[in-house]
Amino acid sequence: MCHVCCGLTAQGPHAYLLISARMSNSHPLRPYTAIGEIDHVHILSENVGALINGEEYSDVTFIVDKMRFPAHRVILAARCQYFRALLYGGMKESQPEAEIVLQDTTAEAFSMLMKYIYTGRASLRDEREEVLLDFLSLAHKYGFPELEDSTSEYLCTILKTQNVCMIYDVASLYSLSKLCATCCTFMDRNAQEVLSSDGYLSLSKGALLAIVRRDSFAAPEKDIFQSLIRWCRQNPKENHAEIMAAVRLPLMSLTELLNVVRPSALLSPDSILDAIKVRSESRDMDLNYRGMLIPEENIATMKYGAQVVKGELKSALLDGDTQNYDLDHGFSRHPIEDDCRSGLEIKLGQPSIINHVRLLLWDQDSRSYSYYIEVSMDELDWIRVIDHSQYYCRSWQKLYFPARVCRYVRIVGTHNTVNKVFHLVAFECMFTQKTFTLEKGLIVPTENVATIAEAASVIEGVSRSRNALLNGDTKNYDWDSGYTCHQLGSGAIVIQLAQPYMIGSVRLLLWDCDDRSYSYYIEVSINQQQWTMVADRTKVPCRSWQTITFDRHPTCFIRIVGTHNTANEVFHCVHFECPTQALSHKEDNNKEGPSSEQSLPAQQGIPIALRAPNASSMHTLTDQSIQGQPPQ
């Protein structure tokens, strides 16, 4: 016996069987299977596949392009509902040795389908696009959704200017949404090349109109118009008026309207005059511009040709560094003036569709800023998309607005609580497909925005650790830590959100390690000067979890003011969130409401009712400035 075998048997018969199984599974043609499971699907595929196009045992014949394909009814019926109904449905095709002529496909594509039916395999890599599209058509017609998906995925990888129109036409015909979207994205980003391609002229009318009506099909309107003229000449039987209605004539210059559109005779003089009237009387930003669409990617980068054209210390704004900034470097700025003539202006690499902007305001101390954002196509007509000129904002700003086509973005600071300079560390803009709700121009959040991750902070109150109120920990608190507090009759707990939101609910966890109860009220503000009361629980005993809903208000600051504690003269709050989120497991075990009372076992140690927070170890959250002079 060899040394290897001796080594195996010495470990016992089970070890030998285990290693033998692993060795047998290591065969390159066999997939790995668990012990006791046999998987010979590859053998089945090879054996059934050997029957393809064989006369032996065949009982039906398909004729495609005069080529004969002998087949086996039971295999076809087992693999496809369409063939099951065709071959066993009592029609003439059900007769023995029937011959079935198939139209509207090619022998090459049908041969690929038969191989897939018999073996579960298909090779797409070396086939021409026309054959692949016929193959896709058969997969759709005969009801093979997995094959349809796999073929569509492969077609997405081989898109090019010469074939994208042909592939899109088929994809739109069969409502293949993923393939359609990929084709549209490719055509949007290569619009002028697509307009010049031969495939463009062979598009169906429906596919053609779907393409050129897209705001993101960002070719010059003159080029679109001329390409539609070529298409109309190629398709003389179509309704040319409907095709030409897709042209956005007001986007063309007067010279183009008179020297290009008018000589074509495809549009009436009244249509041209109407376009001139719209162009001359409308605001520039009201015109239906086209723009590049690059979803979920920051386009305010050098990669996409963006540049800062106005402001001081321009180089820092688009460098992508959001970590390395201090009093002296890492930010761009402009002086804050009463007439708002100054600002930071970014020129995008090309007209683009955006609906989302992210800013990082300089945040190395407790200052707040106010600002607004405008967009333009020509630097003359500006549309304000964000107006936070009356709100106090800090750190990261995540801003949303209805989608706009623009070439220029301008950020104008209107206030700084420390000095007369607006400082911006980073700027990003993009188009997002994330859903959002706006009310009076402000986000109505669904997720908790009173978190450290969302740049919220506790600016007034006492705690052993900064922002303990917002860290999301609702379990680890006791007599000494895990809460924020203030002395009754003086001060309050104040939370600043990073930016204004429309807030209609909040939730608190009052300290509940004994049976005490509290009273309190809550106010909201946009600037810490005017406050609006949204909850008054000064007349009822409250404990543990508190859920409060109210009419939505623009909110930058939330102030929680304790008015009574049945145990001592301090108001203690463990957790705060807005808007209210779903209950956690621990919270489910506690009743909610202003007067909910639940007896808890006494904790070991000195009752908190008999002691005050240790001033030497507690952190007062009213001084968040850093050392040194503020940035200028």
Side-chain angles (χ1 to χ4, degrees):
M1 184 181 296
C2 72
H3 294 295
V4 175
C5 292
C6 290
L8 293 175
T9 55
Q11 299 177 44
H14 295 295
Y16 180 80
L17 289 173
L18 176 61
I19 295 175
S20 297
R22 288 176 177 170
M23 291 175 65
S24 67
N25 277 326
S26 67
H27 191 284
L29 297 181
R30 297 174 183 169
Y32 176 81
T33 56
I35 297 173
E37 299 291 333
I38 298 173
D39 183 357
H40 293 165
V41 174
H42 60 290
I43 299 175
L44 174 64
S45 176
E46 291 170 3
N47 292 341
V48 176
L51 298 174
I52 298 176
N53 298 333
E55 297 285 350
E56 189 175 12
Y57 310 122
S58 68
D59 51 6
V60 65
T61 300
F62 293 93
I63 301 174
V64 182
D65 287 347
K66 300 182 180 179
M67 288 187 62
R68 300 174 65 84
F69 293 87
H72 307 80
R73 295 174 184 271
V74 67
I75 294 176
L76 298 180
R79 293 280 280 136
C80 175
Q81 177 66 37
Y82 178 91
F83 285 125
R84 189 180 311 153
L86 179 70
L87 302 174
Y88 291 97
M91 297 181 288
K92 64 177 183 179
E93 290 83 0
S94 304
Q95 302 303 315
E97 307 302 327
E99 293 188 352
I100 303 172
V101 179
L102 297 180
Q103 307 289 344
D104 301 325
T105 188
T106 63
E108 290 174 281
F110 190 74
S111 178
M112 291 174 64
L113 181 69
M114 292 296 285
K115 179 181 178 181
Y116 175 77
I117 289 174
Y118 276 74
T119 68
R121 297 189 177 98
S123 179
L124 309 180
R125 190 172 302 166
D126 298 325
E127 297 294 341
R128 293 176 291 112
E129 290 95 336
E130 293 84 352
V131 175
L132 293 175
L133 292 175
D134 284 337
F135 183 55
L136 178 64
S137 175
L138 292 176
H140 180 82
K141 178 179 180 180
Y142 295 140
F144 290 97
E146 296 83 4
L147 180 59
E148 195 173 26
D149 291 343
S150 296
T151 306
S152 295
E153 289 175 7
Y154 176 71
L155 289 170
C156 287
T157 68
I158 64 168
L159 293 178
K160 51 189 176 182
T161 304
Q162 291 74 22
N163 66 20
V164 66
C165 292
M166 176 173 59
I167 293 174
Y168 176 73
D169 221 346
V170 174
S172 58
L173 177 63
Y174 298 136
S175 301
L176 303 176
S177 57
K178 182 179 178 180
L179 183 55
C180 280
T182 304
C183 290
C184 285
T185 299
F186 182 93
M187 289 187 286
D188 288 347
R189 299 187 185 184
N190 301 275
Q192 288 183 271
E193 292 84 355
V194 168
L195 292 176
S196 303
S197 68
D198 293 336
Y200 179 81
L201 298 177
S202 62
L203 280 168
S204 65
K205 184 179 77 171
L208 175 77
L209 291 175
I211 293 168
V212 298
R213 285 172 176 168
R214 290 168 57 83
D215 290 342
S216 53
F217 191 68
E221 211 63 29
K222 174 186 172 183
D223 293 348
I224 292 176
F225 175 76
Q226 291 176 325
S227 71
L228 291 179
I229 290 178
R230 293 195 300 274
W231 189 93
C232 289
R233 291 171 180 165
Q234 186 80 8
N235 301 271
K237 295 182 180 180
E238 295 290 353
N239 184 342
H240 294 173
E242 184 179 0
I243 301 300
M244 285 300 158
V247 181
R248 303 179 183 185
L249 292 176
L251 298 183
M252 300 175 71
S253 68
L254 180 60
T255 300
E256 290 171 339
L257 290 171
L258 296 179
N259 297 335
V260 177
V261 177
R262 184 170 174 271
S264 72
L266 289 173
L267 287 161
S268 68
D270 284 346
S271 298
I272 298 173
L273 290 173
D274 288 344
I276 294 173
K277 184 174 187 292
V278 169
R279 179 83 193 199
S280 61
E281 295 181 357
S282 299
R283 289 187 60 176
D284 183 75
M285 288 301 290
D286 287 339
L287 298 177
N288 191 16
Y289 280 107
R290 302 176 186 270
M292 183 62 70
L293 180 66
I294 305 177
E296 313 301 342
E297 188 170 350
N298 176 26
I299 59 173
T301 64
M302 290 183 287
K303 170 186 173 182
Y304 288 110
Q307 57 183 311
V308 181
V309 294
K310 288 185 180 179
E312 300 174 10
L313 308 176
K314 301 175 185 176
S315 61
L317 193 57
L318 306 183
D319 63 6
D321 187 352
T322 60
Q323 302 297 323
N324 301 305
Y325 59 98
D326 55 23
L327 296 167
D328 302 312
H329 80 287
F331 55 83
S332 299
R333 68 189 181 192
H334 76 80
I336 297 175
E337 301 171 335
D338 293 338
D339 57 8
C340 296
R341 289 182 302 172
S342 299
L344 297 169
E345 187 177 322
I346 298 92
K347 180 182 180 181
L348 303 178
Q350 56 192 321
S352 301
I353 302 173
I354 63 172
N355 65 352
H356 180 37
V357 166
R358 281 167 42 96
L359 310 177
L360 175 54
L361 304 173
W362 194 90
D363 59 357
Q364 299 297 302
D365 61 15
S366 60
R367 73 183 59 201
S368 297
Y369 296 90
S370 303
Y371 63 91
Y372 61 82
I373 300 177
E374 297 177 321
V375 298
S376 176
M377 282 291 290
D378 60 1
E379 288 190 285
L380 298 175
D381 185 32
W382 294 88
I383 291 289
R384 190 168 298 189
V385 293
I386 298 292
D387 190 351
H388 287 176
S389 58
Q390 303 302 314
Y391 305 111
Y392 280 12
C393 309
R394 68 178 310 275
S395 195
W396 277 105
Q397 309 288 290
K398 301 175 182 179
L399 311 169
Y400 299 85
F401 48 89
R404 276 279 185 183
V405 179
C406 66
R407 184 72 186 272
Y408 300 90
V409 183
R410 182 166 67 185
I411 308 104
V412 180
T414 60
H415 186 63
N416 177 344
T417 55
V418 173
N419 59 24
K420 296 289 287 183
V421 183
F422 182 76
H423 307 92
L424 190 60
V425 175
F427 171 84
E428 302 174 0
C429 69
M430 67 189 72
F431 178 85
T432 181
Q433 295 170 327
K434 177 182 177 181
T435 58
F436 55 87
T437 301
L438 295 175
E439 184 175 319
K440 298 180 180 178
L442 301 181
I443 289 290
V444 180
T446 56
E447 301 296 325
N448 179 19
V449 293
T451 66
I452 300 168
E454 293 295 323
S457 61
V458 181
I459 62 173
E460 188 175 338
V462 178
S463 178
R464 291 189 185 278
S465 60
R466 186 183 299 276
N467 292 325
L469 193 64
L470 310 180
N471 64 9
D473 188 350
T474 61
K475 297 181 180 180
N476 300 306
Y477 59 97
D478 54 24
W479 308 105
D480 299 310
S481 64
Y483 57 83
T484 301
C485 61
H486 79 85
Q487 194 75 25
L488 297 181
S490 65
I493 298 173
V494 180
I495 301 97
Q496 181 177 5
L497 305 179
Q499 67 188 66
Y501 293 98
M502 291 297 291
I503 298 298
S505 66
V506 299
R507 196 158 64 114
L508 328 174
L509 173 56
L510 303 177
W511 193 93
D512 59 357
C513 292
D514 61 14
D515 59 356
R516 72 183 59 197
S517 62
Y518 299 89
S519 299
Y520 62 93
Y521 62 89
I522 298 177
E523 299 174 312
V524 298
S525 174
I526 61 173
N527 55 16
Q528 280 191 293
Q529 298 173 21
Q530 294 82 34
W531 293 88
T532 300
M533 184 180 292
V534 295
D536 184 357
R537 294 191 170 178
T538 58
K539 305 298 184 183
V540 290
C542 307
R543 68 177 314 277
S544 195
W545 283 99
Q546 307 288 300
T547 298
I548 301 164
T549 59
F550 46 88
D551 292 338
R552 284 198 287 260
H553 289 272
T555 301
C556 296
F557 300 90
I558 302 100
R559 182 163 66 185
I560 308 165
V561 183
T563 58
H564 185 64
N565 178 347
T566 56
N568 61 17
E569 295 301 311
V570 182
F571 180 79
H572 308 88
C573 190
V574 174
H575 172 76
F576 174 83
E577 65 187 41
C578 70
T580 299
Q581 302 297 292
L583 302 182
S584 69
H585 176 71
K586 178 179 178 179
E587 297 160 75
D588 287 338
N589 295 327
N590 290 327
K591 297 179 182 179
E592 291 198 6
S595 58
S596 62
E597 295 187 5
Q598 181 178 3
S599 297
L600 297 176
Q603 301 286 326
Q604 297 296 319
I606 302 174
I608 198 168
L610 302 180
R611 58 189 294 189
N614 187 340
S616 64
S617 61
M618 299 296 276
H619 184 65
T620 301
L621 301 171
T622 56
D623 182 12
Q624 300 181 30
S625 61
I626 63 173
Q627 297 298 317
Q629 297 299 315
Q632 300 296 318

